[in-house]
Amino acid sequence: MAIEPLADETAGTISLGDLEVRRLGFGAMRITGEGVWGPPADRGEALAVPRRAVELGVNLIDTADSYGPHVSEELIAEALHPYPEDLVIATKGGLERTGPGAWPRNGRPEHLREACEGSLRRLRLERIDVYQLHAVDPDVPYEESVGALKELQEEGKIRHIGVSNVGLSELATARSMVEVVSVQNRFNLGDRDAADVLEACEADELAFIPWFPLSAGSLAEPGGPAAEIADRHGATPAQLALAWLLRFPAMLPIPGTGSVAHLEENLAAATLQLSDEEVATLTDA
């Protein structure tokens, strides 16, 4: 599939509060080292990926202070600052890193304040467009974690607030305290456990940002429906998975990669037109 610059009509747009973004963003977790730890093996390629994403019309980049840790945010600033006027930078706080593959949760208000202020410095921003609470910390009342973000927003350090890895209860709690513009949960063709949260986002016009969006699970195995439909379109199962996600009006996929070639392959999925029958086959599988 050929890669063409994203336009508003390609995959559509979606609102994050008063911000309008194209409905295929870039997740910057994979521009770090192996295990999302330390610097990338190829720094030049890691810097080229976000630059190419912006060249191709992406105007939402999603990262987190825990990616590296800190490495992803630093590379984004090095690659793109001063930022294009329409570029929305979203980041997250609430996870710590004690080593490759280790992601302990920390939702204490003092940690979230420190995390947010660190992100501001690394991203070279005075205000973060969308700041997301990365996870629910079972050792901290959720109201206290959300309250910390509310204070930071009132201080002008956060423009909009999002939540991540939540159920309906946590989403309701957050929305009772602040305006929530987005929810970032795991969701893909092979894992739809967050379907109830997606439905709530669709009902209330919140953006739903699916992480791990490229997976199609067993549906992508030879002879599986995702593999067969992808073959008919001359596409990969991963591209098909993205095209299926884009059929949900609240969906805002942010596929991530550390490769320019893979980035271009992902963005090409925005031009993949699935029939209603194909969508139904995938949804029912």
Side-chain angles (χ1 to χ4, degrees), residues 164-224:
S164 183
N165 297 304
V166 295
L168 290 174
S169 175
E170 291 86 8
L171 177 57
T173 296
R175 295 188 70 198
S176 73
M177 299 178 63
V178 296
E179 180 185 358
V180 174
V181 301
S182 63
V183 176
Q184 186 166 166
N185 277 15
R186 179 174 172 133
F187 191 91
N188 53 54
L189 261 176
D191 182 351
R192 309 179 200 179
D193 286 348
D196 56 345
V197 178
L198 171 60
E199 290 175 4
C201 290
E202 290 181 335
D204 293 334
E205 298 184 339
L206 307 181
F208 185 95
I209 305 173
W211 61 266
F212 205 39
L214 300 180
S215 176
S218 61
L219 304 184
E221 294 177 356

Short mmCIF file of all heavy atoms in Angstrom, two decimals, residues 164-224:
data_model
loop_
_atom_site.label_atom_id
_atom_site.label_comp_id
_atom_site.label_asym_id
_atom_site.label_seq_id
_atom_site.Cartn_x
_atom_site.Cartn_y
_atom_site.Cartn_z
N SER A 164 -5.95 6.71 31.78
CA SER A 164 -5.47 5.53 31.09
C SER A 164 -5.60 4.31 31.98
O SER A 164 -5.50 4.40 33.20
CB SER A 164 -4.00 5.75 30.69
OG SER A 164 -3.49 4.66 29.95
N ASN A 165 -5.83 3.17 31.33
CA ASN A 165 -5.93 1.89 32.04
C ASN A 165 -6.98 1.94 33.14
O ASN A 165 -6.74 1.56 34.29
CB ASN A 165 -4.56 1.51 32.60
CG ASN A 165 -3.53 1.29 31.52
OD1 ASN A 165 -3.72 0.48 30.61
ND2 ASN A 165 -2.44 2.04 31.57
N VAL A 166 -8.18 2.38 32.76
CA VAL A 166 -9.26 2.54 33.73
C VAL A 166 -10.45 1.67 33.36
O VAL A 166 -10.63 1.27 32.20
CB VAL A 166 -9.73 4.01 33.81
CG1 VAL A 166 -8.63 4.90 34.34
CG2 VAL A 166 -10.23 4.51 32.45
N GLY A 167 -11.27 1.39 34.36
CA GLY A 167 -12.58 0.81 34.15
C GLY A 167 -13.64 1.90 34.24
O GLY A 167 -13.32 3.08 34.42
N LEU A 168 -14.88 1.50 34.13
CA LEU A 168 -15.97 2.48 34.16
C LEU A 168 -16.02 3.24 35.47
O LEU A 168 -16.33 4.44 35.49
CB LEU A 168 -17.30 1.77 33.91
CG LEU A 168 -17.52 1.23 32.49
CD1 LEU A 168 -18.82 0.43 32.44
CD2 LEU A 168 -17.57 2.37 31.48
N SER A 169 -15.71 2.58 36.57
CA SER A 169 -15.76 3.23 37.88
C SER A 169 -14.74 4.35 37.98
O SER A 169 -15.06 5.48 38.40
CB SER A 169 -15.54 2.21 38.99
OG SER A 169 -15.48 2.84 40.25
N GLU A 170 -13.48 4.06 37.59
CA GLU A 170 -12.45 5.09 37.66
C GLU A 170 -12.74 6.23 36.68
O GLU A 170 -12.50 7.40 37.01
CB GLU A 170 -11.07 4.50 37.35
CG GLU A 170 -10.54 3.56 38.41
CD GLU A 170 -11.02 2.14 38.23
OE1 GLU A 170 -11.65 1.84 37.19
OE2 GLU A 170 -10.78 1.32 39.14
N LEU A 171 -13.26 5.90 35.51
CA LEU A 171 -13.61 6.94 34.56
C LEU A 171 -14.68 7.86 35.13
O LEU A 171 -14.58 9.09 35.02
CB LEU A 171 -14.08 6.32 33.24
CG LEU A 171 -14.56 7.29 32.16
CD1 LEU A 171 -13.48 8.31 31.81
CD2 LEU A 171 -15.00 6.53 30.91
N ALA A 172 -15.68 7.28 35.77
CA ALA A 172 -16.74 8.09 36.38
C ALA A 172 -16.19 8.97 37.49
O ALA A 172 -16.57 10.15 37.62
CB ALA A 172 -17.84 7.18 36.91
N THR A 173 -15.29 8.42 38.29
CA THR A 173 -14.68 9.21 39.37
C THR A 173 -13.93 10.40 38.80
O THR A 173 -14.08 11.54 39.27
CB THR A 173 -13.74 8.34 40.21
OG1 THR A 173 -14.49 7.32 40.86
CG2 THR A 173 -13.00 9.16 41.25
N ALA A 174 -13.10 10.14 37.80
CA ALA A 174 -12.33 11.22 37.21
C ALA A 174 -13.24 12.29 36.61
O ALA A 174 -13.02 13.50 36.80
CB ALA A 174 -11.39 10.66 36.14
N ARG A 175 -14.28 11.87 35.91
CA ARG A 175 -15.16 12.83 35.24
C ARG A 175 -16.00 13.63 36.24
O ARG A 175 -16.49 14.71 35.91
CB ARG A 175 -16.07 12.10 34.26
CG ARG A 175 -15.30 11.45 33.11
CD ARG A 175 -16.24 10.91 32.06
NE ARG A 175 -16.89 11.98 31.33
CZ ARG A 175 -17.98 11.83 30.60
NH1 ARG A 175 -18.56 10.63 30.53
NH2 ARG A 175 -18.51 12.84 29.95
N SER A 176 -16.17 13.10 37.45
CA SER A 176 -16.89 13.87 38.49
C SER A 176 -16.03 15.00 39.03
O SER A 176 -16.55 15.92 39.68
CB SER A 176 -17.32 12.94 39.62
OG SER A 176 -16.21 12.54 40.42
N MET A 177 -14.71 14.95 38.78
CA MET A 177 -13.79 15.93 39.33
C MET A 177 -13.23 16.90 38.29
O MET A 177 -12.98 18.07 38.60
CB MET A 177 -12.62 15.20 40.00
CG MET A 177 -13.01 14.29 41.14
SD MET A 177 -11.58 13.41 41.82
CE MET A 177 -10.58 14.78 42.43
N VAL A 178 -13.01 16.41 37.07
CA VAL A 178 -12.41 17.23 36.02
C VAL A 178 -13.07 16.88 34.69
O VAL A 178 -13.75 15.86 34.56
CB VAL A 178 -10.89 16.97 35.89
CG1 VAL A 178 -10.15 17.38 37.16
CG2 VAL A 178 -10.59 15.51 35.56
N GLU A 179 -12.84 17.72 33.70
CA GLU A 179 -13.24 17.38 32.34
C GLU A 179 -12.20 16.43 31.76
O GLU A 179 -11.03 16.77 31.65
CB GLU A 179 -13.36 18.62 31.46
CG GLU A 179 -13.78 18.28 30.03
CD GLU A 179 -13.78 19.47 29.10
OE1 GLU A 179 -13.48 20.59 29.56
OE2 GLU A 179 -14.06 19.28 27.89
N VAL A 180 -12.62 15.23 31.42
CA VAL A 180 -11.73 14.24 30.82
C VAL A 180 -11.95 14.26 29.31
O VAL A 180 -13.08 14.15 28.84
CB VAL A 180 -12.02 12.83 31.38
CG1 VAL A 180 -11.22 11.77 30.64
CG2 VAL A 180 -11.73 12.78 32.88
N VAL A 181 -10.86 14.39 28.54
CA VAL A 181 -11.00 14.47 27.08
C VAL A 181 -10.67 13.16 26.38
O VAL A 181 -11.02 12.98 25.22
CB VAL A 181 -10.15 15.61 26.48
CG1 VAL A 181 -10.54 16.95 27.08
CG2 VAL A 181 -8.66 15.34 26.67
N SER A 182 -9.98 12.25 27.09
CA SER A 182 -9.55 11.01 26.43
C SER A 182 -9.37 9.89 27.44
O SER A 182 -9.11 10.13 28.62
CB SER A 182 -8.24 11.23 25.66
OG SER A 182 -7.20 11.56 26.56
N VAL A 183 -9.50 8.67 26.92
CA VAL A 183 -9.21 7.46 27.69
C VAL A 183 -8.26 6.61 26.86
O VAL A 183 -8.51 6.36 25.68
CB VAL A 183 -10.50 6.66 27.99
CG1 VAL A 183 -10.15 5.37 28.72
CG2 VAL A 183 -11.48 7.49 28.80
N GLN A 184 -7.17 6.14 27.48
CA GLN A 184 -6.22 5.29 26.79
C GLN A 184 -6.18 3.93 27.48
O GLN A 184 -5.66 3.79 28.57
CB GLN A 184 -4.82 5.92 26.77
CG GLN A 184 -3.85 5.13 25.92
CD GLN A 184 -2.56 5.88 25.61
OE1 GLN A 184 -1.59 5.26 25.16
NE2 GLN A 184 -2.53 7.19 25.81
N ASN A 185 -6.78 2.94 26.83
CA ASN A 185 -6.83 1.57 27.33
C ASN A 185 -6.35 0.60 26.25
O ASN A 185 -6.42 0.92 25.06
CB ASN A 185 -8.26 1.17 27.71
CG ASN A 185 -8.66 1.65 29.10
OD1 ASN A 185 -8.02 2.49 29.70
ND2 ASN A 185 -9.76 1.11 29.61
N ARG A 186 -5.95 -0.57 26.65
CA ARG A 186 -5.60 -1.60 25.68
C ARG A 186 -6.86 -2.05 24.94
O ARG A 186 -7.88 -2.36 25.55
CB ARG A 186 -4.95 -2.80 26.39
CG ARG A 186 -4.59 -3.93 25.45
CD ARG A 186 -3.82 -5.01 26.21
NE ARG A 186 -3.61 -6.19 25.38
CZ ARG A 186 -2.45 -6.82 25.25
NH1 ARG A 186 -1.39 -6.36 25.88
NH2 ARG A 186 -2.34 -7.90 24.50
N PHE A 187 -6.77 -2.07 23.61
CA PHE A 187 -7.90 -2.50 22.78
C PHE A 187 -7.38 -2.78 21.39
O PHE A 187 -6.65 -1.98 20.81
CB PHE A 187 -8.98 -1.42 22.73
CG PHE A 187 -10.28 -1.87 22.11
CD1 PHE A 187 -11.29 -2.41 22.90
CD2 PHE A 187 -10.50 -1.77 20.74
CE1 PHE A 187 -12.49 -2.84 22.34
CE2 PHE A 187 -11.69 -2.20 20.17
CZ PHE A 187 -12.69 -2.73 20.98
N ASN A 188 -7.75 -3.93 20.84
CA ASN A 188 -7.36 -4.28 19.48
C ASN A 188 -8.26 -5.42 18.99
O ASN A 188 -9.15 -5.86 19.72
CB ASN A 188 -5.87 -4.66 19.41
CG ASN A 188 -5.49 -5.72 20.41
OD1 ASN A 188 -6.10 -6.79 20.45
ND2 ASN A 188 -4.47 -5.46 21.22
N LEU A 189 -8.01 -5.88 17.79
CA LEU A 189 -8.84 -6.96 17.23
C LEU A 189 -8.88 -8.19 18.12
O LEU A 189 -9.92 -8.85 18.25
CB LEU A 189 -8.30 -7.36 15.85
CG LEU A 189 -8.98 -6.80 14.62
CD1 LEU A 189 -8.23 -7.23 13.37
CD2 LEU A 189 -10.44 -7.21 14.54
N GLY A 190 -7.76 -8.50 18.76
CA GLY A 190 -7.68 -9.71 19.56
C GLY A 190 -7.97 -9.52 21.03
O GLY A 190 -8.06 -10.50 21.77
N ASP A 191 -8.10 -8.28 21.50
CA ASP A 191 -8.34 -8.00 22.92
C ASP A 191 -9.33 -6.86 23.04
O ASP A 191 -8.99 -5.70 22.81
CB ASP A 191 -7.02 -7.64 23.61
CG ASP A 191 -7.19 -7.39 25.11
OD1 ASP A 191 -8.34 -7.33 25.58
OD2 ASP A 191 -6.16 -7.26 25.80
N ARG A 192 -10.55 -7.19 23.42
CA ARG A 192 -11.62 -6.18 23.47
C ARG A 192 -12.21 -6.08 24.87
O ARG A 192 -13.38 -5.74 25.05
CB ARG A 192 -12.70 -6.51 22.45
CG ARG A 192 -12.12 -6.77 21.06
CD ARG A 192 -13.18 -7.12 20.04
NE ARG A 192 -12.60 -7.79 18.89
CZ ARG A 192 -13.30 -8.23 17.86
NH1 ARG A 192 -14.61 -8.09 17.84
NH2 ARG A 192 -12.70 -8.85 16.85
N ASP A 193 -11.38 -6.35 25.88
CA ASP A 193 -11.88 -6.30 27.26
C ASP A 193 -12.39 -4.92 27.65
O ASP A 193 -13.21 -4.80 28.56
CB ASP A 193 -10.78 -6.74 28.23
CG ASP A 193 -10.53 -8.24 28.19
OD1 ASP A 193 -11.36 -8.96 27.59
OD2 ASP A 193 -9.51 -8.68 28.75
N ALA A 194 -11.89 -3.88 26.99
CA ALA A 194 -12.30 -2.52 27.33
C ALA A 194 -13.48 -2.04 26.49
O ALA A 194 -13.72 -0.83 26.38
CB ALA A 194 -11.13 -1.56 27.17
N ALA A 195 -14.26 -2.97 25.94
CA ALA A 195 -15.37 -2.58 25.07
C ALA A 195 -16.39 -1.71 25.80
O ALA A 195 -16.98 -0.80 25.21
CB ALA A 195 -16.05 -3.82 24.50
N ASP A 196 -16.60 -1.97 27.10
CA ASP A 196 -17.57 -1.16 27.84
C ASP A 196 -17.08 0.27 28.00
O ASP A 196 -17.88 1.22 27.93
CB ASP A 196 -17.87 -1.80 29.21
CG ASP A 196 -16.62 -2.02 30.06
OD1 ASP A 196 -15.49 -1.96 29.52
OD2 ASP A 196 -16.78 -2.28 31.27
N VAL A 197 -15.78 0.45 28.19
CA VAL A 197 -15.23 1.81 28.30
C VAL A 197 -15.30 2.51 26.94
O VAL A 197 -15.62 3.70 26.87
CB VAL A 197 -13.78 1.75 28.83
CG1 VAL A 197 -13.19 3.15 28.89
CG2 VAL A 197 -13.76 1.09 30.21
N LEU A 198 -15.02 1.78 25.87
CA LEU A 198 -15.15 2.35 24.53
C LEU A 198 -16.58 2.82 24.29
O LEU A 198 -16.80 3.92 23.76
CB LEU A 198 -14.74 1.33 23.48
CG LEU A 198 -15.03 1.69 22.02
CD1 LEU A 198 -14.32 2.98 21.62
CD2 LEU A 198 -14.64 0.54 21.09
N GLU A 199 -17.56 2.01 24.66
CA GLU A 199 -18.96 2.40 24.49
C GLU A 199 -19.28 3.67 25.27
O GLU A 199 -20.01 4.55 24.77
CB GLU A 199 -19.87 1.26 24.93
CG GLU A 199 -19.83 0.05 24.01
CD GLU A 199 -20.65 -1.12 24.54
OE1 GLU A 199 -21.31 -0.95 25.59
OE2 GLU A 199 -20.61 -2.20 23.92
N ALA A 200 -18.75 3.80 26.46
CA ALA A 200 -18.98 5.01 27.26
C ALA A 200 -18.36 6.23 26.58
O ALA A 200 -18.95 7.32 26.56
CB ALA A 200 -18.41 4.84 28.66
N CYS A 201 -17.18 6.05 26.00
CA CYS A 201 -16.53 7.16 25.29
C CYS A 201 -17.34 7.56 24.06
O CYS A 201 -17.51 8.76 23.77
CB CYS A 201 -15.11 6.76 24.88
SG CYS A 201 -13.96 6.62 26.25
N GLU A 202 -17.85 6.58 23.32
CA GLU A 202 -18.66 6.89 22.15
C GLU A 202 -19.94 7.63 22.55
O GLU A 202 -20.35 8.58 21.88
CB GLU A 202 -18.99 5.60 21.40
CG GLU A 202 -17.79 4.99 20.70
CD GLU A 202 -18.14 3.71 19.94
OE1 GLU A 202 -19.13 3.06 20.32
OE2 GLU A 202 -17.41 3.38 18.99
N ALA A 203 -20.55 7.20 23.65
CA ALA A 203 -21.80 7.83 24.09
C ALA A 203 -21.59 9.28 24.49
O ALA A 203 -22.46 10.13 24.26
CB ALA A 203 -22.40 7.03 25.25
N ASP A 204 -20.43 9.58 25.07
CA ASP A 204 -20.19 10.92 25.60
C ASP A 204 -19.16 11.71 24.80
O ASP A 204 -18.68 12.75 25.25
CB ASP A 204 -19.75 10.83 27.07
CG ASP A 204 -20.87 10.32 27.97
OD1 ASP A 204 -22.05 10.50 27.62
OD2 ASP A 204 -20.56 9.72 29.02
N GLU A 205 -18.81 11.20 23.62
CA GLU A 205 -17.92 11.89 22.69
C GLU A 205 -16.56 12.19 23.31
O GLU A 205 -16.03 13.30 23.17
CB GLU A 205 -18.58 13.16 22.16
CG GLU A 205 -19.86 12.88 21.36
CD GLU A 205 -20.46 14.13 20.74
OE1 GLU A 205 -20.15 15.23 21.22
OE2 GLU A 205 -21.22 14.00 19.77
N LEU A 206 -15.99 11.19 23.98
CA LEU A 206 -14.61 11.25 24.43
C LEU A 206 -13.74 10.48 23.44
O LEU A 206 -14.19 9.50 22.85
CB LEU A 206 -14.45 10.64 25.82
CG LEU A 206 -15.35 11.13 26.95
CD1 LEU A 206 -15.01 10.39 28.24
CD2 LEU A 206 -15.24 12.63 27.13
N ALA A 207 -12.51 10.89 23.28
CA ALA A 207 -11.59 10.14 22.42
C ALA A 207 -11.13 8.89 23.16
O ALA A 207 -10.79 8.94 24.34
CB ALA A 207 -10.40 11.01 22.05
N PHE A 208 -11.10 7.78 22.45
CA PHE A 208 -10.59 6.52 22.99
C PHE A 208 -9.30 6.18 22.27
O PHE A 208 -9.29 5.99 21.05
CB PHE A 208 -11.62 5.40 22.80
CG PHE A 208 -11.22 4.09 23.44
CD1 PHE A 208 -11.65 3.76 24.72
CD2 PHE A 208 -10.40 3.19 22.76
CE1 PHE A 208 -11.29 2.55 25.31
CE2 PHE A 208 -10.02 1.99 23.34
CZ PHE A 208 -10.46 1.66 24.62
N ILE A 209 -8.20 6.15 23.02
CA ILE A 209 -6.88 5.91 22.45
C ILE A 209 -6.48 4.47 22.77
O ILE A 209 -6.15 4.17 23.92
CB ILE A 209 -5.85 6.91 23.02
CG1 ILE A 209 -6.33 8.35 22.79
CG2 ILE A 209 -4.48 6.68 22.40
CD1 ILE A 209 -5.45 9.40 23.48
N PRO A 210 -6.51 3.57 21.79
CA PRO A 210 -6.19 2.17 22.07
C PRO A 210 -4.69 1.92 22.07
O PRO A 210 -4.00 2.25 21.11
CB PRO A 210 -6.86 1.43 20.90
CG PRO A 210 -6.75 2.40 19.76
CD PRO A 210 -6.85 3.78 20.35
N TRP A 211 -4.17 1.36 23.16
CA TRP A 211 -2.76 0.99 23.10
C TRP A 211 -2.63 -0.47 22.71
O TRP A 211 -3.55 -1.25 22.86
CB TRP A 211 -2.00 1.33 24.38
CG TRP A 211 -2.39 0.71 25.68
CD1 TRP A 211 -3.24 1.22 26.62
CD2 TRP A 211 -1.89 -0.52 26.24
NE1 TRP A 211 -3.31 0.39 27.71
CE2 TRP A 211 -2.49 -0.68 27.51
CE3 TRP A 211 -0.99 -1.50 25.80
CZ2 TRP A 211 -2.22 -1.78 28.33
CZ3 TRP A 211 -0.73 -2.59 26.61
CH2 TRP A 211 -1.33 -2.72 27.87
N PHE A 212 -1.48 -0.80 22.12
CA PHE A 212 -1.23 -2.09 21.48
C PHE A 212 -2.24 -2.31 20.35
O PHE A 212 -2.86 -3.36 20.23
CB PHE A 212 -1.30 -3.23 22.50
CG PHE A 212 -0.52 -4.46 22.12
CD1 PHE A 212 0.71 -4.36 21.50
CD2 PHE A 212 -1.01 -5.72 22.38
CE1 PHE A 212 1.43 -5.49 21.16
CE2 PHE A 212 -0.30 -6.86 22.04
CZ PHE A 212 0.92 -6.74 21.43
N PRO A 213 -2.42 -1.32 19.46
CA PRO A 213 -3.51 -1.38 18.48
C PRO A 213 -3.26 -2.32 17.30
O PRO A 213 -4.22 -2.69 16.61
CB PRO A 213 -3.61 0.06 17.99
CG PRO A 213 -2.21 0.59 18.11
CD PRO A 213 -1.67 -0.04 19.37
N LEU A 214 -2.01 -2.70 17.06
CA LEU A 214 -1.71 -3.46 15.85
C LEU A 214 -1.99 -4.95 15.98
O LEU A 214 -2.01 -5.67 14.98
CB LEU A 214 -0.24 -3.27 15.46
CG LEU A 214 0.20 -1.84 15.17
CD1 LEU A 214 1.67 -1.81 14.79
CD2 LEU A 214 -0.64 -1.22 14.07
N SER A 215 -2.21 -5.42 17.18
CA SER A 215 -2.38 -6.86 17.38
C SER A 215 -3.73 -7.33 16.83
O SER A 215 -4.76 -6.69 17.02
CB SER A 215 -2.30 -7.20 18.87
OG SER A 215 -2.56 -8.58 19.08
N ALA A 216 -3.69 -8.47 16.16
CA ALA A 216 -4.93 -9.10 15.69
C ALA A 216 -5.09 -10.49 16.30
O ALA A 216 -6.03 -11.20 15.97
CB ALA A 216 -4.93 -9.19 14.17
N GLY A 217 -4.16 -10.87 17.18
CA GLY A 217 -4.26 -12.15 17.85
C GLY A 217 -4.33 -13.31 16.87
O GLY A 217 -3.72 -13.31 15.80
N SER A 218 -5.11 -14.31 17.23
CA SER A 218 -5.23 -15.51 16.39
C SER A 218 -5.94 -15.22 15.08
O SER A 218 -5.85 -16.01 14.13
CB SER A 218 -5.98 -16.60 17.15
OG SER A 218 -7.28 -16.18 17.48
N LEU A 219 -6.64 -14.09 14.98
CA LEU A 219 -7.35 -13.75 13.74
C LEU A 219 -6.38 -13.52 12.58
O LEU A 219 -6.77 -13.60 11.42
CB LEU A 219 -8.21 -12.50 13.93
CG LEU A 219 -9.25 -12.54 15.07
CD1 LEU A 219 -10.07 -11.27 15.06
CD2 LEU A 219 -10.15 -13.76 14.93
N ALA A 220 -5.11 -13.22 12.92
CA ALA A 220 -4.12 -12.94 11.88
C ALA A 220 -3.35 -14.18 11.46
O ALA A 220 -2.51 -14.12 10.56
CB ALA A 220 -3.14 -11.88 12.37
N GLU A 221 -3.62 -15.31 12.09
CA GLU A 221 -2.93 -16.54 11.71
C GLU A 221 -3.37 -16.99 10.32
O GLU A 221 -4.46 -16.64 9.86
CB GLU A 221 -3.22 -17.63 12.75
CG GLU A 221 -2.64 -17.33 14.12
CD GLU A 221 -3.00 -18.38 15.15
OE1 GLU A 221 -3.77 -19.32 14.82
OE2 GLU A 221 -2.54 -18.26 16.30
N PRO A 222 -2.54 -17.74 9.60
CA PRO A 222 -2.91 -18.20 8.25
C PRO A 222 -4.29 -18.86 8.24
O PRO A 222 -4.58 -19.73 9.06
CB PRO A 222 -1.80 -19.21 7.92
CG PRO A 222 -0.63 -18.73 8.71
CD PRO A 222 -1.18 -18.20 9.99
N GLY A 223 -5.14 -18.40 7.33
CA GLY A 223 -6.51 -18.91 7.26
C GLY A 223 -7.48 -18.17 8.14
O GLY A 223 -8.70 -18.36 8.03
N GLY A 224 -6.98 -17.32 9.03
CA GLY A 224 -7.85 -16.54 9.89
C GLY A 224 -8.51 -15.40 9.14
O GLY A 224 -8.02 -14.99 8.07
#
